[in-house]
Amino acid sequence: MTAIALGAAILAPGLAEAQAPQFFRIGTGGAGGTYFPIGGIIATGISNPPGSRPCDKGGACGVPGLVAIVQSSDGSVGNINAVNSGQMESGIAQSDVTHWAYTGTGLFEGRPKVETLRVIANLFPEHIQVFAKGTGGVTSIEQLKGKKVNYGPPASGTLVGARLFFEVYGLKEKVDVQPEFLNPQPAADRIRDGQLDAAFLIAGTPTAALVELASTVGMTLLPVEGAMREKVLKAIPFWSETTIPAGTYKGIDKEIPTVAVGAWWVTNNKQSEDTVYKVTEALWNKNTRELLDNGHAKGKAILRDNAVKGVSIPFHPGAEKYYKEVGLLK
């Protein structure tokens, strides 16, 4: 895994000795997806390294002494495992995968419950995006039978979702479709080069890998609609009906019906109440708001008023304390 420390400052020797930084890792996903850039923005917002200039003088406005680090990973399942084991202090994960892990249901049926998980915030909706080359001739999901299709990398929520999704469509893995297990950018590259017919992705829009594909060789987004959409939603209750707006990607000039799932920022119950309270407070301060609004198109969808909506497992006590203070929780 790669790690990028964000919001770092040059420390004055005396201050560095007086106050050691507290590191707070955020597990994200591949660089071509949405978790990685959003995690980077959040890390910048909540960081305030020792020796930083005060917030009111143009410096960092995060948690004093805290240095947040964004780490790329395969995605939801990997992040949940890392948070549970203590390899990372926090991570972004799909709501369905998180709920299944906590309750020992769904994907985690028969496995030990990951009862250490706690939520910091519901962040944004992730769209199910099934995409192909604009000139590849594939215009519907049903046409993927006999094709090479990317399911997503191991330990990702995308892979979990792909298997559930294509099962609803009656497309059996390794029987009806030839699966690949790549991150978004390599998958888009192979579609561009004709080595892959299509790819399944769960990510906030616009997604960097898809932006590049659409702007170079063109891209087709395959709709999830009608009776099949209803079957998908019945089979996967955590998913909801939505659309990808026209103009999200170059050449996509009409609204594309699909489905979506929430992305949660999670931590474990071993993190101190004080740290998570301050991290939650910093997530929703004016400085982070500005970073989110200007740093990524999906950042505008990350709203404090939605932070507790749809959350089905416990909040971390620090986050819960903050949301009660601002009236979002009773």
Side-chain angles (χ1 to χ4, degrees):
M1 280 201 251
T2 62
I4 301 175
L6 299 174
I10 298 173
L11 306 182
L15 289 173
E17 292 171 5
Q19 181 185 15
Q22 176 186 0
F23 294 101
F24 195 86
R25 292 161 291 190
I26 305 173
T28 58
T34 307
Y35 285 4
F36 188 79
I38 289 295
I41 294 167
I42 291 173
T44 300
I46 68 173
S47 291
N48 189 348
S52 296
R53 286 181 297 167
C55 178
D56 59 3
K57 294 184 180 179
C61 300
V63 181
L66 186 132
V67 178
I69 300 172
V70 62
Q71 292 191 255
S72 64
S73 75
D74 282 338
S76 294
V77 177
N79 290 341
I80 285 171
N81 290 336
V83 167
N84 180 49
S85 67
Q87 292 178 333
M88 291 190 291
E89 286 73 30
S90 70
I92 304 175
Q94 290 172 209
S95 59
D96 52 358
V97 176
T98 307
H99 178 88
W100 293 331
Y102 182 81
T103 58
T105 57
L107 168 70
F108 289 81
E109 186 80 44
R111 303 186 196 180
K113 297 177 182 179
V114 189
E115 294 180 321
T116 60
L117 289 174
R118 298 292 184 270
V119 175
I120 297 174
N122 171 44
L123 294 177
F124 59 87
E126 299 187 77
H127 291 78
I128 279 64
Q129 303 175 81
V130 188
F131 61 100
K133 192 174 180 178
T135 56
V138 176
T139 58
S140 73
I141 292 163
E142 289 81 358
Q143 290 176 327
L144 296 179
K145 187 172 183 178
K147 305 291 187 182
K148 294 181 180 179
V149 181
N150 188 56
Y151 273 50
S156 70
T158 289
L159 175 56
V160 174
R163 285 173 168 157
L164 294 171
F165 180 85
F166 288 124
E167 183 178 320
V168 174
Y169 272 85
L171 296 172
K172 295 182 180 179
E173 185 178 345
K174 298 181 181 180
V175 176
D176 298 310
V177 294
Q178 184 178 335
E180 296 285 346
F181 305 99
L182 305 169
N183 275 304
Q185 190 61 61
D189 292 342
R190 291 199 184 185
I191 288 175
R192 182 197 62 211
D193 297 338
Q195 299 172 7
L196 196 63
D197 295 299
F200 177 96
L201 176 63
I202 300 178
T205 57
T207 310
L210 277 67
V211 170
E212 182 180 339
L213 180 66
S215 63
T216 52
V217 297
M219 180 182 71
T220 299
L221 283 175
L222 310 185
V224 184
E225 58 189 343
M228 289 309 302
R229 178 155 70 173
E230 295 306 313
K231 286 184 68 174
V232 168
L233 295 177
K234 185 176 181 180
I236 315 170
F238 274 88
W239 293 10
S240 60
E241 182 177 317
T242 190
T243 59
I244 298 172
T248 299
Y249 300 104
K250 184 178 179 180
I252 305 299
D253 54 7
K254 65 178 181 178
E255 187 176 81
I256 305 297
T258 187
V259 291
V261 62
W264 294 348
W265 187 15
V266 301
T267 185
N268 61 55
N269 59 4
K270 300 178 182 66
Q271 300 304 311
S272 77
E273 180 175 335
D274 181 63
T275 294
V276 176
Y277 172 84
K278 290 176 180 176
V279 162
T280 308
E281 185 179 44
L283 171 64
W284 302 117
N285 69 25
K286 292 181 180 179
N287 180 67
T288 307
R289 175 76 270 149
E290 185 175 343
L291 293 171
L292 289 168
D293 288 342
N294 296 300
H296 190 279
K298 186 55 66 176
K300 293 183 175 68
I302 301 175
L303 303 171
R304 192 178 74 169
D305 287 349
N306 296 335
V308 303
K309 290 182 178 179
V311 175
S312 59
I313 74 169
F315 283 95
H316 189 280
E320 183 178 39
K321 178 183 176 182
Y322 173 82
Y323 294 128
K324 284 182 176 179
E325 286 182 357
V326 300
L328 289 175
L329 289 175
K330 295 181 179 180

